[in-house]
Amino acid sequence: MAPAFGSAIPQPHDPVAVEPPESVVPSSGGAPATPWLAWLIGLTVGVAAIGLWAALLAQEETQFARATTMRLESVRNQIVARMESRVLAQVRMAGRWEMRGQPPRGEWESDADQYMRHYAGLLGVARVDPVLEVRWERGATGAGDTVASSSAAMQSIWPIARARRQIALTRVSSRAAGEKVFAVGVPIFRGDAFDGMIVAAHGVQALLDDILGSDIAPGYGVRVLDGPDVIYLRDHAADDVEPRFHQDAAVRLPNAEWRVSVWPLAKTLSAARTPLPRAVLAGGLALALLLAVATRLAQVARLRAIEAESTNRELQHEVAGRQRTQERLRKLSRAVEQSPTMVLITDDSGAIEYVNPKFTQVTGYALDEVRGRNPRLLKSGGTPPSTHAELWRTIAAGGEWRGELCNRKKNGETYWEHIAISPIRDDRDRLTHFLAEAEDITERKRLQEEVTARNRESAENRALAAMGQAATMIAHDLRNPLSTVKMSLGILGKHAGKNLSDAEQEINRLALEQVRYMEEALSELLSFSRPDALQPVWLGIDKVLDTAVLLVQREIDEHKARVHTLHASGLPTLHGDANKLRQAFSNLILNAVQACEGVAGRTPEVHVRTHAQLGRQSPEICVEIVDNGCGIPERLNERVFEPFFTSRARGTGLGLPIAGRIIDQHRGRIELRGEPGGGIRAVVTLPTGPVSDTP
């Protein structure tokens, strides 16, 4: 571990070589020293002792100043880094606003709630429009109440955000309850047009208490100023030391500058001071007196002085070696403690012996909670067993293993880490411990998944665009000829029906059916390739389902099927596009009717049932469409919603994909489940809350 404060200051027990001056020791057989020489030696040594005492005091104060400088830099860096982290979270929120135009309110409020839970001192988050009106606001006190009500604060950051496109901080101000607050504004632009700001209000006391915890500059007073105003004083520490021990530095923030002042507390100075200077002064004066008295005995003491000098040199070498070793250990300890990666050390059986603060920050487990336990307590079940088996096989053989693991935090959340595990061996090459270094890559994987999803969405959009062009061409080139053929067949069947034989009439009927089939295929292709925007209204689900049944009544009659509907009473109204929902449910009902085709010994039956259930944020309506057909093989469950995939001889394979996309547009869910006696249960769940009017 790192040495305590003051370890670099010479300690009282450090050996100090004092060699008697040559003039004091009479040479062998020489004349005795003159009487005044003893007083001269005593005076010289006394002056030297006083000078050494003054030098030690100066060195001690230099150490105090250096330690204070280090604590000041630590405090300043901590404030800058943690403030940058908070501003970066706000920038990400503004970036999503710019990319998506205006995210759904539930998503925006969820993000704001997450930031307020994660960042202590965050009072509220608001979206302020270009005319200084608070549009959206989240928080107990509200960012709008903190910023928008202060015209001076808004005028100070508005031109910076609007003209310079920069992040801006307001001056710290006091609220009615005496709480000091400030706000951070991040501009939003739509292209080159200014679209307001995302404003976050912070309470200074709670924010800086969170940033400057007990582990940041312990034993030191910390004061933060915004201009001439003191906005924070840690633990209400008084200036109980001389001003020469105070040090301050500027903390540069976006469009603002604070000053932080750090000084050692009186108890810190008292604990760090050593008795060495006073001991040196007293000892030096006593030594001066003793040397004056003992000059006559110098010849006798010379031999012992030489021996003491030799021993002193050996002790100095040993002390210097120990100090170098202690310094190396201190550097290694600080490197591990301050490492941005998680460090975990176990014994050879896998029992945890040490974790660094980054491990606690990521997982939530403190060292005392995991000491002696196995790292398997972090397992989430998201990593294949084969990966864990390979890991233990590799490190048990003395090798180093690198890979990615999905683990679980103390609060139940899962996270991904890139980890390297290597063995530690002693001087005899015996395996004694394992060292694991892990990096939290959850955010990186999330970004990779977002990029993959966007690439996939882009590819699908390009495919849909190409399909739309092809469908438009097909509709233009084939619909008119098909209409002509259909009309001709109808006229032929109507006017020449009596003169046609039964075989010719059957051929005419089959031709009309094929023409209708081709028209339906063209309609499905156009509907899938050119999705329209939603036109939501408040409607009743029972009327939508009854109309959907009527739309496919001809196909129901052709298959001689029975369709039973059962609607629960008191269902809430639904916000949705009636035409699109009718199309989706008619496709599902038609698919259920067609699924009963070819099942011997059964009368095709389709049951349509509705009921309400509790949702995640609002009540939901559940629609179940159950058939008694042959069902779907389990291996095809994931493919039935793929465009153009069908297990029947006829059909475009677009009915279920169109239904699935319409349900997705309404923020709903669709699931196909097998029935015990055969058949399929299609379960559609729709939220009752408002939906967006964009596709």
Side-chain angles (χ1 to χ4, degrees), residues 52-64:
L52 182 58
W53 169 74
L56 288 175
L57 287 180
Q59 182 185 12
E60 192 173 65
E61 291 197 2
T62 301
Q63 293 291 340
F64 290 157

PDB file of all heavy atoms in Angstrom, residues 52-64:
ATOM      1  N   LEU A  52      21.314  23.278  10.894  1.00  0.00           N
ATOM      2  CA  LEU A  52      20.647  22.022  10.520  1.00  0.00           C
ATOM      3  C   LEU A  52      19.196  22.026  10.971  1.00  0.00           C
ATOM      4  O   LEU A  52      18.294  21.554  10.259  1.00  0.00           O
ATOM      5  CB  LEU A  52      21.397  20.846  11.150  1.00  0.00           C
ATOM      6  CG  LEU A  52      20.861  19.450  10.831  1.00  0.00           C
ATOM      7  CD1 LEU A  52      20.834  19.201   9.332  1.00  0.00           C
ATOM      8  CD2 LEU A  52      21.688  18.388  11.535  1.00  0.00           C
ATOM      9  N   TRP A  53      18.972  22.575  12.182  1.00  0.00           N
ATOM     10  CA  TRP A  53      17.583  22.665  12.670  1.00  0.00           C
ATOM     11  C   TRP A  53      16.727  23.521  11.735  1.00  0.00           C
ATOM     12  O   TRP A  53      15.613  23.157  11.378  1.00  0.00           O
ATOM     13  CB  TRP A  53      17.634  23.252  14.075  1.00  0.00           C
ATOM     14  CG  TRP A  53      16.278  23.651  14.613  1.00  0.00           C
ATOM     15  CD1 TRP A  53      15.300  22.838  15.050  1.00  0.00           C
ATOM     16  CD2 TRP A  53      15.791  24.994  14.761  1.00  0.00           C
ATOM     17  NE1 TRP A  53      14.222  23.553  15.469  1.00  0.00           N
ATOM     18  CE2 TRP A  53      14.484  24.899  15.296  1.00  0.00           C
ATOM     19  CE3 TRP A  53      16.323  26.252  14.510  1.00  0.00           C
ATOM     20  CZ2 TRP A  53      13.725  26.018  15.574  1.00  0.00           C
ATOM     21  CZ3 TRP A  53      15.557  27.363  14.787  1.00  0.00           C
ATOM     22  CH2 TRP A  53      14.273  27.240  15.311  1.00  0.00           C
ATOM     23  N   ALA A  54      17.315  24.687  11.318  1.00  0.00           N
ATOM     24  CA  ALA A  54      16.571  25.547  10.388  1.00  0.00           C
ATOM     25  C   ALA A  54      16.353  24.849   9.049  1.00  0.00           C
ATOM     26  O   ALA A  54      15.291  24.963   8.421  1.00  0.00           O
ATOM     27  CB  ALA A  54      17.326  26.860  10.194  1.00  0.00           C
ATOM     28  N   ALA A  55      17.372  24.101   8.577  1.00  0.00           N
ATOM     29  CA  ALA A  55      17.228  23.392   7.295  1.00  0.00           C
ATOM     30  C   ALA A  55      16.166  22.311   7.374  1.00  0.00           C
ATOM     31  O   ALA A  55      15.373  22.108   6.438  1.00  0.00           O
ATOM     32  CB  ALA A  55      18.577  22.791   6.897  1.00  0.00           C
ATOM     33  N   LEU A  56      16.127  21.589   8.493  1.00  0.00           N
ATOM     34  CA  LEU A  56      15.108  20.545   8.650  1.00  0.00           C
ATOM     35  C   LEU A  56      13.709  21.141   8.694  1.00  0.00           C
ATOM     36  O   LEU A  56      12.749  20.579   8.146  1.00  0.00           O
ATOM     37  CB  LEU A  56      15.388  19.741   9.915  1.00  0.00           C
ATOM     38  CG  LEU A  56      16.601  18.795   9.854  1.00  0.00           C
ATOM     39  CD1 LEU A  56      16.841  18.152  11.199  1.00  0.00           C
ATOM     40  CD2 LEU A  56      16.403  17.745   8.776  1.00  0.00           C
ATOM     41  N   LEU A  57      13.577  22.284   9.387  1.00  0.00           N
ATOM     42  CA  LEU A  57      12.270  22.942   9.399  1.00  0.00           C
ATOM     43  C   LEU A  57      11.852  23.358   7.989  1.00  0.00           C
ATOM     44  O   LEU A  57      10.695  23.203   7.581  1.00  0.00           O
ATOM     45  CB  LEU A  57      12.312  24.163  10.323  1.00  0.00           C
ATOM     46  CG  LEU A  57      12.349  23.887  11.829  1.00  0.00           C
ATOM     47  CD1 LEU A  57      12.381  25.200  12.601  1.00  0.00           C
ATOM     48  CD2 LEU A  57      11.141  23.060  12.259  1.00  0.00           C
ATOM     49  N   ALA A  58      12.856  23.915   7.242  1.00  0.00           N
ATOM     50  CA  ALA A  58      12.548  24.319   5.866  1.00  0.00           C
ATOM     51  C   ALA A  58      12.179  23.113   5.015  1.00  0.00           C
ATOM     52  O   ALA A  58      11.259  23.165   4.183  1.00  0.00           O
ATOM     53  CB  ALA A  58      13.756  25.056   5.268  1.00  0.00           C
ATOM     54  N   GLN A  59      12.925  22.001   5.214  1.00  0.00           N
ATOM     55  CA  GLN A  59      12.604  20.787   4.458  1.00  0.00           C
ATOM     56  C   GLN A  59      11.213  20.275   4.803  1.00  0.00           C
ATOM     57  O   GLN A  59      10.455  19.825   3.936  1.00  0.00           O
ATOM     58  CB  GLN A  59      13.656  19.714   4.744  1.00  0.00           C
ATOM     59  CG  GLN A  59      13.430  18.419   3.955  1.00  0.00           C
ATOM     60  CD  GLN A  59      14.406  17.337   4.339  1.00  0.00           C
ATOM     61  OE1 GLN A  59      15.110  17.472   5.330  1.00  0.00           O
ATOM     62  NE2 GLN A  59      14.453  16.291   3.567  1.00  0.00           N
ATOM     63  N   GLU A  60      10.896  20.343   6.110  1.00  0.00           N
ATOM     64  CA  GLU A  60       9.576  19.877   6.535  1.00  0.00           C
ATOM     65  C   GLU A  60       8.468  20.713   5.894  1.00  0.00           C
ATOM     66  O   GLU A  60       7.467  20.167   5.396  1.00  0.00           O
ATOM     67  CB  GLU A  60       9.490  19.947   8.048  1.00  0.00           C
ATOM     68  CG  GLU A  60       8.286  19.228   8.638  1.00  0.00           C
ATOM     69  CD  GLU A  60       8.360  19.197  10.146  1.00  0.00           C
ATOM     70  OE1 GLU A  60       8.292  20.283  10.764  1.00  0.00           O
ATOM     71  OE2 GLU A  60       8.484  18.102  10.702  1.00  0.00           O
ATOM     72  N   GLU A  61       8.670  22.041   5.865  1.00  0.00           N
ATOM     73  CA  GLU A  61       7.660  22.898   5.241  1.00  0.00           C
ATOM     74  C   GLU A  61       7.601  22.656   3.732  1.00  0.00           C
ATOM     75  O   GLU A  61       6.535  22.737   3.119  1.00  0.00           O
ATOM     76  CB  GLU A  61       7.972  24.364   5.549  1.00  0.00           C
ATOM     77  CG  GLU A  61       7.776  24.720   7.013  1.00  0.00           C
ATOM     78  CD  GLU A  61       7.693  26.220   7.229  1.00  0.00           C
ATOM     79  OE1 GLU A  61       7.744  26.949   6.222  1.00  0.00           O
ATOM     80  OE2 GLU A  61       7.556  26.646   8.387  1.00  0.00           O
ATOM     81  N   THR A  62       8.766  22.373   3.141  1.00  0.00           N
ATOM     82  CA  THR A  62       8.765  22.037   1.707  1.00  0.00           C
ATOM     83  C   THR A  62       7.948  20.769   1.448  1.00  0.00           C
ATOM     84  O   THR A  62       7.201  20.676   0.469  1.00  0.00           O
ATOM     85  CB  THR A  62      10.205  21.846   1.212  1.00  0.00           C
ATOM     86  OG1 THR A  62      10.946  23.045   1.433  1.00  0.00           O
ATOM     87  CG2 THR A  62      10.227  21.506  -0.268  1.00  0.00           C
ATOM     88  N   GLN A  63       8.110  19.789   2.341  1.00  0.00           N
ATOM     89  CA  GLN A  63       7.322  18.568   2.197  1.00  0.00           C
ATOM     90  C   GLN A  63       5.829  18.878   2.342  1.00  0.00           C
ATOM     91  O   GLN A  63       4.996  18.333   1.610  1.00  0.00           O
ATOM     92  CB  GLN A  63       7.759  17.545   3.262  1.00  0.00           C
ATOM     93  CG  GLN A  63       9.158  17.014   3.086  1.00  0.00           C
ATOM     94  CD  GLN A  63       9.282  16.117   1.870  1.00  0.00           C
ATOM     95  OE1 GLN A  63       8.291  15.612   1.383  1.00  0.00           O
ATOM     96  NE2 GLN A  63      10.496  15.965   1.368  1.00  0.00           N
ATOM     97  N   PHE A  64       5.510  19.769   3.320  1.00  0.00           N
ATOM     98  CA  PHE A  64       4.103  20.144   3.475  1.00  0.00           C
ATOM     99  C   PHE A  64       3.580  20.786   2.192  1.00  0.00           C
ATOM    100  O   PHE A  64       2.467  20.488   1.721  1.00  0.00           O
ATOM    101  CB  PHE A  64       3.949  21.126   4.639  1.00  0.00           C
ATOM    102  CG  PHE A  64       4.185  20.516   5.991  1.00  0.00           C
ATOM    103  CD1 PHE A  64       4.541  21.297   7.065  1.00  0.00           C
ATOM    104  CD2 PHE A  64       4.033  19.149   6.189  1.00  0.00           C
ATOM    105  CE1 PHE A  64       4.746  20.732   8.314  1.00  0.00           C
ATOM    106  CE2 PHE A  64       4.244  18.586   7.419  1.00  0.00           C
ATOM    107  CZ  PHE A  64       4.616  19.366   8.498  1.00  0.00           C
TER     108      PHE A  64
END
